[in-house]
Structures are given as structure tokens and as C-alpha cells.
Amino acid sequence: MKTLVACNTQSQKNEFKNKKDTLQVSKKADTLDMVNAPEINTEYGWLNTDTSYSIKDFRGKIVLLDFWTFGCINCHHILPEIKKLEQEYRRELVVIGIHSAKFEAEKTTNNIKKAILKFDIGHPVVNDADYKVWNAYTVKAWPTLVLINPEGKIVFQKSGEGAYRYVKEYIDRIIKEQGNKINRTPITFQLEKNKEKKGILRFPSKMVLDTEGNLLVTDSGNHRILKISPEGKILLTIGSGKEGFQDGYFAQAAFSEPQGLALKGNLLYIADTKNHAIRVANLQTQIVQTLAGNGKMGYYYFEDKWGTPVNPNSPWDLWIDEKQNLMYIANAGNHQILQMNLQTNQIFRFAGTGREALTDGDLKQAAFNQPSGLVQIQDTLLYVADAEASAIRQIDLKNKTVKTIIGKGLFDFGDIDGSFEEALLQHCVGISKLTDNQLLIADTYNGKIKIADLQQKRIYSLALGFEEPNQALVWKNTLWVSDTNNHQIVKINLLTNERQVLNIQP
């Protein structure tokens, strides 16, 4: 596992770097045209199809292999590019996802199936739980794309984001040179989404509570936000439920997999994750506006753009510092924390180099790993759920430093309670305040809610049995949990331990 590396998107830092990568890949690819594509079938089976295949079954087609793991934000970023290629070359191209998991929870077939639905993947996926296919293709990073010609030869391989134009160039070359060898009859697969039974919620994620105890929940799979009473009555729906990027009245507004929320009076700030934007819903006028972001991913590294307004990149969570009139943004897609001035609505870099690593130090030296949760304690301390490192980080807002309180590295994860030094988490996504000395942690891939005691420097499990919980909140002795992959909100009475699924009614 230590030999695996998480993809760092620094190759997209500027156009010159992209061109340099292209030359290197092209030179390598020209030497690959006599290499037979290794087998992709595994003992763990296929998903998003009712049939198992051999690589030889796709002879005559151009085949694109996507090596991915479902928790990796960089893997999420290339899915729109893959979908675009599938649409443009639907007669010539077959895409196969090779799911080579990083985390233990990502190896489970049922969890991969949920990820396929969550990310609307429209092609078959192979469960490569033991890295057999990964090793056969000498893959080193997520994501990696491999292109195979109609004769079953590898002609292109590249890691990282932004590969669309390179893949397209090679597909066009193959069509031009080997057009008479291509089988242009489209292959139809039995997709998981055609068998899905949908309820009111679909992958509910982040939550906030208003002053009356009502829940505001990002119903991310339905691309909307719901306001729900403690009894389960839907009081307000924000968004049409159709994926898109549109401002306007609540019934017409459109989002794309929204995640984090922050509430200030009648203003609900929304991390519109797949639109790479910060939106605001005015609960009084019932109008949605875009405050920052244009649908494109913002990239900035090391010394780039400090003090200059930037756009977000897959923003995952939000936290408002009321006294400073600032909002912090967990900028998961570029592994940084951003800061938004709520008077001007401008966003600036706040912490992180952009490199994916578990590095402490001052704000400009520190590095994060897909930060996905935020909470502020005692005015001066901002805590971060640093998902890909399974870590909890502490930002001292006064001294402007970052330190790790739980976590050891990108490939150190598990399910161990106890002292902070010994504790292990697995892809923790949510974090919230229980008391001034206690944090609630959604230990997402372990399916648990845990308490981190900042005074005793110990962590212990509070509730378990969830499927990828994304958030936990406490209101008057009730623990609320977004049980994301079970498509439900769970409430637990902390005095009696009685557990109920919230019965949500329109």
C-alpha cells in the first residue's frame, strides 16, 4: 500500500506544464503500440452490468480503462471528461472502470455499487480489490487512464486530471488509421441506476440546525437542500431537483451535488460542490444567488495567487466566523482551506500549499488531504476533517499555524479508539462541536460517529452501524446523523440510546 501514491494535480498548474506532460506521454505512448493489453477480469467481479467480460470480448472496440477509487476527489474530477468522451464516441468507444481501492471500505462490492449510483457512472466497473489489474498495467496513481486500440494493444497511458484532450487526440488518430477495424455497434449494459429504488432522500450529506431545531440538509443525490422539522415534515425545498447551475427562485434554482452548509440569519450558504461554486439561499425572499465560482475548477499552488481572489474547487464544507464576518471553505478539490469575506464575497487562499500531504507548519507551508469538514471552537481554533489522510487537523487562527492532532499519513488508517497518538480513523468527512472540549466526528468509512475529547486527548466511539455517515449534530440530547448511503437521517436519544429513522414526509 505504501508504494501507491495519491494523484497530485500539480501537472495542471499551468499550460507549460501540461504541454511538457503531453510530450512525455506521447513519446511513451508511441512505444506502447505493440504491447498487448493484460486481462481485466478479476475474481471480485463486475458491477454496473449483468455480465462478466474478458478483455478479448471488446476486440474491435476502442477501450478506455479508468483506474479509480471512489473516495479520491481527483477521480471525481475526471468523470465529466469521461462522460463527454462516451457521448462523443458512443459507437466506437467502450469505457471500463477499474476500481483499485485505497481504503479497506472501498474494496467492498456493495460500497462500490453505491458509489456508482452516487456519481452517476454509466459504464461497467471491475472490482480490482487485490490490485491484480493495477499491477498488470503498472499503474502508480489515481486516476490513471489507459487507451486500448481495436487490436487489443495499449496505445496511451496517463495519470492525473485534464486528460480529455489527450485521449481524444488518440481516439481520433485510431479512427483515422484503423477505422475499418472498428466495431461500431454500441454495447448496451444493464446499469445499476435502472434498478435503483428511490425514496425521498438520496445520499443526504451535510446538515445544519436553525434556532428552532429544524434540520437543513443537503440532499446531494437529488441536487437540492431540504429544511425538515424535528418530526420529519419537509418545510422548504431549495432547488428544482434537476442537476444544473442556475440561480433564481427556489423552485427553479439548480445545483450539482451540494455538500456543506452554513447558516447566518436568513442566509443559507451552500457549497455547490460539482459546480465548484459558493451559492446563497435567502430563506426570506426564497431566491438563490451565486456568490463565487463559474463552474470551472480553480487551481493554485505554493506561491500562486496569495492575496488574489480565487475560485473554489470542489468545496465540501463551510464554517462562518460570525465575529470576523468571514467564512472558511474546505476546498477539497485543491487540498486547501479558503477564506471568504462575507461583505465583498471575495474568496482568498487561507491555508495549504495545494500539495496533497500531511504537513504541519504555518498557513503557507501546511498541506492538506481533501479537507471535507470544518468546525470552529473557542473563537481561535478551526478544526478540519482531513479525509484522505484520515486525520483531524487544528488551525490556530491567532498564531496562524496548522498541526495534526489525529492521523499519521495518507495510507495510515483503521478503526482504533484511545489516545490521539494511537487512534486511527478511516476517511473521516464530518466534524462538529459537541462542547468546547469535545468534537463529534463522522468516521465515514468505519460507519461510526466518534467523540474526540480535546482535554483528555482521547477518542471513543459513540454510535455505529451507519453506511458512510457524513455529519453528526446534537440538539437537546438528540444525536442527528446523516446516514448517507442508507439514504436516511437517524436520530438517537442520548439519554435512552433509542434509535429512530426520521420519517420524512412531504
Side-chain angles (χ1 to χ4, degrees), residues 5 10-11 46-47 60 73 103 119 142 206 219 279 309-310 349 373 473 499 506:
V5 294
Q10 192 179 351
S11 61
W46 290 66
L47 300 94
I73 195 69
F103 293 97
F119 305 130
W142 300 282
K206 300 290 189 179
D219 187 15
R279 321 282 294 279
V310 296
R349 293 182 65 179
L473 301 172
R499 180 182 299 214

Side-chain angles (χ1 to χ4, degrees), residues 225-354:
I225 296 91
L226 299 178
K227 181 180 179 181
I228 306 172
S229 75
E231 295 74 36
K233 177 71 175 176
I234 295 178
L235 305 174
L236 196 59
T237 300
I238 305 171
S240 66
K242 296 180 180 179
E243 186 174 12
F245 193 1
Q246 181 177 329
D247 289 348
Y249 287 104
F250 285 1
Q252 286 78 44
F255 303 90
S256 183
E257 295 182 29
Q259 297 288 338
L261 300 172
L263 185 62
K264 183 181 181 184
N266 286 317
L267 298 180
L268 180 67
Y269 293 86
I270 302 159
D272 193 5
T273 304
K274 292 300 174 67
N275 280 327
H276 313 289
I278 303 300
R279 321 282 294 279
V280 65
N282 188 312
L283 301 179
Q284 192 168 21
T285 64
Q286 300 200 0
I287 293 175
V288 172
Q289 291 179 289
T290 299
L291 300 181
N294 56 11
K296 298 179 181 179
M297 293 177 279
Y299 283 103
Y300 21 85
Y301 299 91
F302 300 102
E303 298 305 316
D304 292 351
K305 298 182 180 179
W306 285 102
T308 301
V310 296
N311 284 328
N313 184 326
S314 293
W316 214 271
D317 202 14
L318 307 173
W319 182 266
I320 292 176
D321 185 330
E322 295 273 2
K323 292 183 179 180
Q324 301 297 322
N325 204 27
L326 297 170
M327 185 166 70
Y328 295 98
I329 301 168
N331 201 45
N334 206 21
H335 312 294
Q336 296 177 23
I337 308 301
L338 306 181
Q339 190 182 72
M340 185 174 192
N341 184 316
L342 294 181
Q343 286 185 313
T344 65
N345 295 327
Q346 289 185 313
I347 295 175
F348 298 90
R349 293 182 65 179
F350 179 70
T353 62

